[in-house]
Amino acid sequence: MKISTKLTLYFTAAVFALVVFILFFLHENIVNSRIEEEMAAIQSRGESHRDVLQDNYSPQTLQHIALMESKTDTVVVVTDQEMNPIIASDRVTPQMQRIKERAAGASYPGSRLLEDDYRNSDYIASVSSFDTDSQTGYIFMFKETGPLRALVKKLNSHFLIAGGLSLILMLVLHFILSKILTRPLVKMKTATETISRGNYNVGLPPAGNDELGQLSNAIGKLSQDLQTLKSERAEFLASISHELRTPLTYVQGYTTVALREGISDRERGEYLKIIGEETGTIVKLVENLFELAKLDENAFTILKEEVELCPFLKGLHSKVNPAFLAKNMRLEFECRENLTITADPIRLEQIFLNLLDNARKYSEEDTTVTLTVTRNGDRVIFTLKDEGIGIDQAEIPNIFNRLYRVEKSRSRELGGSGLGLSIVKELVEAHKGDISVESTPGKGTTVHITMPMKEDTP
Ligand SMILES: Nc1ncnc2c1ncn2[C@@H]1O[C@H](COP(=O)(O)OP(=O)(O)OP(=O)(O)O)[C@@H](O)[C@H]1O
Ligand SMILES: [Mg+2]
């Protein structure tokens, strides 16, 4: 069942139940007060006849009372103590007779109602007793219930019509309202169906600031994200194939040349060396891609432990210094305070190996690279500064993108694939840290990494 139909039915059922309850209550009230009025009226008229008789009991008075009532729709019957009629304003019907008999044997100081069942009896009736020197007896008042029943019947039909009309009105109103309410939902449903078919360009109209509006915004954002993801994936795959194609072409080309007859052993050795280098590039690229895939899936392990930074950096220095010396560069580590941080030492080393590799690759000879460690509250700040070629301000946001290299040809010559910094960024973030880069082309680059010192290991 459609949600708008459901809403219409639920609301109508709820409101209709309320309306029926109110109408019923109103109906009962109107009918009851009308009946009570009628009964009070005959009783009080009977009492006033009684008062007149008490004051002046005479045939004339009796005549007068009968005459008065014969002009109304009530019937008065005056009897003696034994219920024998003295005078009546109209014919006494058998039913009146039966009601009268109920009063037999009782004496009535004052008056009371004899019959009030207007639904089943033909009359409602009251009785008053009188007591004078010459005569004691009763005054019965009867009123036909036919007109009363007709009135109630009319009222019933009015109420039925009111109930029916309000039911129809509610159905229409609720239908329109639920259509208005559910329209954004229906649009969102269509939009998600379109998204799942692979079309991410769904323009959802603004749907206000309520929960539905928020949901609509969320769907819009989701479709945009999916679109970005899709194009990023396509771009990434294209870049990977491109990256692999270049070294593979070299390998293929040099293999062909190396297989040629009539070339010297020296030449062949050179070609094989190039093939070896290119294969190394491919292996490194594939390894890095694999690493990134693991990072993406959160399938990589980070085993945090207490790492004393000064000894850690010392070890790192002796590991990388030879490469710097070979390029005639200086590598200086400053570790004044011996800080201890909670981190995965293998990942930490991976971060710095990548950054130091960049600093070395993108610097000229006879320059210095410095790594300093300082502390700011409960965070450690690593600053790695080189005096290399620097990066254009506009390029800085891109360098963390996968396979992105500022100068493609130069970086390739140096064996770069453009994955190093994206891996570094993921690893820093896995340690709840931040990384930022400042650079001046021709002057040098500075990389800042901040990380919490103590981080509760889950
Ligand atoms: N210290 C630096 N000085 C100048 N340019 C840099 C520096 N670090 C990175 N870059 C630029 O940013 C690009 C991206 O760096 P990244 O480390 O991700 O890739 P790569 O060094 O080219 O390859 P890989 O690290 O995968 O071997 C580099 O190609 C280079 O152009
Ligand atoms: Mg690099």
Side-chain angles (χ1 to χ4, degrees):
M1 209 198 291
K2 274 188 177 174
I3 184 158
S4 56
T5 322
K6 266 192 212 166
L7 275 179
T8 309
L9 291 182
Y10 293 164
F11 273 114
T12 309
V15 180
F16 188 63
L18 195 73
V19 168
V20 166
F21 175 74
I22 292 172
L23 285 183
F24 181 76
F25 184 72
L26 211 67
H27 176 273
E28 285 301 288
N29 250 348
I30 294 176
V31 170
N32 286 345
S33 60
R34 183 88 185 92
I35 303 296
E36 269 162 29
E37 254 172 43
E38 291 290 344
M39 292 196 286
I42 55 169
Q43 196 173 351
S44 80
R45 272 235 296 289
E47 279 169 14
S48 64
H49 293 325
R50 189 251 337 257
D51 293 345
V52 173
L53 276 186
Q54 295 268 102
D55 283 354
N56 181 14
Y57 186 83
S58 69
Q60 285 85 344
T61 319
L62 286 168
Q63 284 289 340
H64 187 69
I65 289 171
L67 184 70
M68 258 167 58
E69 286 302 340
S70 68
K71 302 285 175 205
T72 66
D73 55 359
T74 33
V75 176
V76 65
V77 180
V78 182
T79 67
D80 62 13
Q81 196 67 41
E82 280 72 44
M83 305 278 169
N84 301 315
I86 301 172
I87 197 163
S89 69
D90 207 338
R91 196 176 65 86
V92 177
T93 64
Q95 179 139 33
M96 287 182 187
Q97 196 61 43
R98 272 199 298 280
I99 294 172
K100 244 172 65 190
E101 276 155 17
R102 283 190 214 159
S107 79
Y108 299 102
S111 69
R112 65 157 229 186
L113 280 172
L114 263 189
E115 174 63 270
D116 60 358
D117 183 3
Y118 76 95
R119 281 193 181 87
N120 301 311
S121 167
D122 283 349
Y123 300 95
I124 51 172
S126 74
V127 63
S128 319
S129 60
F130 67 92
D131 184 359
T132 62
D133 298 339
S134 53
Q135 181 73 48
T136 55
Y138 300 112
I139 301 167
F140 292 95
M141 299 290 292
F142 296 96
K143 188 179 172 82
E144 266 192 83
T145 50
L148 268 179
R149 278 205 291 264
L151 182 86
V152 172
K153 216 168 153 188
K154 208 161 141 198
L155 208 64
N156 285 351
S157 68
H158 281 315
F159 272 82
L160 271 181
I161 291 171
L165 279 182
S166 56
L167 180 64
I168 294 170
L169 195 74
M170 272 184 291
L171 273 173
V172 173
L173 254 174
H174 289 161
F175 182 71
I176 296 172
L177 278 178
S178 53
K179 275 274 171 218
I180 294 174
L181 266 177
T182 53
R183 194 183 301 144
L185 272 183
V186 175
K187 283 205 177 116
M188 282 184 242
K189 178 182 150 258
T190 326
T192 43
E193 280 167 0
T194 321
I195 294 173
S196 73
R197 278 198 299 274
N199 178 4
Y200 304 116
N201 214 351
V202 286
L204 277 170
N209 226 349
D210 53 8
E211 287 86 343
L212 280 181
Q214 286 160 6
L215 181 63
S216 160
N217 288 343
I219 291 178
K221 188 164 177 303
L222 187 72
S223 78
Q224 271 170 14
D225 288 353
L226 281 172
Q227 195 163 21
T228 321
L229 209 67
K230 195 182 170 192
S231 60
E232 266 179 9
R233 193 185 56 184
E235 216 172 278
F236 187 55
L237 280 175
S239 318
I240 290 176
S241 358
H242 180 81
E243 292 303 321
L244 281 172
R245 196 176 321 121
T246 323
L248 282 173
T249 318
Y250 277 110
V251 170
Q252 198 182 29
Y254 283 108
T255 314
T256 319
V257 187
L259 283 173
R260 245 183 235 156
E261 280 175 29
I263 52 162
S264 69
D265 278 355
R266 197 183 56 80
E267 277 178 299
R268 183 165 291 126
E270 225 155 78
Y271 297 148
L272 285 176
K273 193 171 149 246
I274 298 173
I275 292 172
E277 278 168 12
E278 290 301 325
T279 319
T281 311
I282 299 172
V283 170
K284 194 181 152 212
L285 178 71
V286 172
E287 271 173 7
N288 280 344
L289 281 174
F290 187 56
E291 181 77 12
L292 270 177
K294 279 199 293 186
L295 286 170
D296 268 356
E297 273 182 29
N298 277 338
F300 65 106
T301 38
I302 288 214
L303 295 171
K304 287 182 183 165
E305 51 182 77
E306 304 276 291
V307 182
E308 278 191 49
L309 283 181
C310 286
F312 169 78
L313 291 178
K314 212 176 221 168
L316 190 66
H317 189 273
S318 42
K319 202 176 212 167
V320 288
N321 200 36
F324 278 80
L325 288 180
K327 205 181 166 183
N328 212 0
M329 285 174 65
R330 283 173 301 280
L331 179 62
E332 288 172 7
F333 282 10
E334 278 177 32
C335 186
R336 291 205 199 95
E337 196 184 344
N338 190 11
L339 300 169
T340 308
I341 71 166
T342 318
D344 182 338
I346 298 177
R347 301 300 185 180
L348 209 57
E349 185 174 277
Q350 209 177 350
I351 292 172
F352 287 110
L353 285 180
N354 261 303
L355 294 176
L356 288 167
D357 181 52
N358 284 351
R360 185 179 50 82
K361 274 196 296 191
Y362 307 113
S363 296
E364 303 298 339
E365 287 193 6
D366 209 23
T367 53
T368 309
V369 173
T370 11
L371 174 63
T372 35
V373 188
T374 47
R375 174 190 183 156
N376 181 9
D378 54 358
R379 290 174 87 82
V380 194
I381 305 171
F382 299 96
T383 315
L384 182 68
K385 189 171 175 318
D386 67 44
E387 299 164 355
I389 56 169
I391 311 164
D392 232 25
Q393 198 62 33
E395 300 279 5
I396 292 180
N398 299 327
I399 56 174
F400 293 104
N401 290 349
R402 289 168 190 196
L403 299 171
Y404 190 87
R405 292 168 304 194
V406 177
E407 273 182 88
K408 287 253 176 229
S409 54
R410 181 181 181 140
S411 168
R412 232 198 83 73
E413 249 170 52
L414 297 167
S417 58
L419 289 174
L421 284 180
S422 25
I423 294 175
V424 167
K425 188 169 194 304
E426 301 256 4
L427 289 176
V428 169
E429 280 168 3
H431 281 87
K432 308 232 173 350
D434 294 308
I435 181 164
S436 64
V437 171
E438 287 171 65
S439 189
T440 320
K443 283 225 159 136
T445 308
T446 310
V447 182
H448 302 276
I449 293 180
T450 65
M451 266 187 205
M453 298 223 303
K454 286 258 174 294
E455 203 229 309
D456 302 322
T457 28

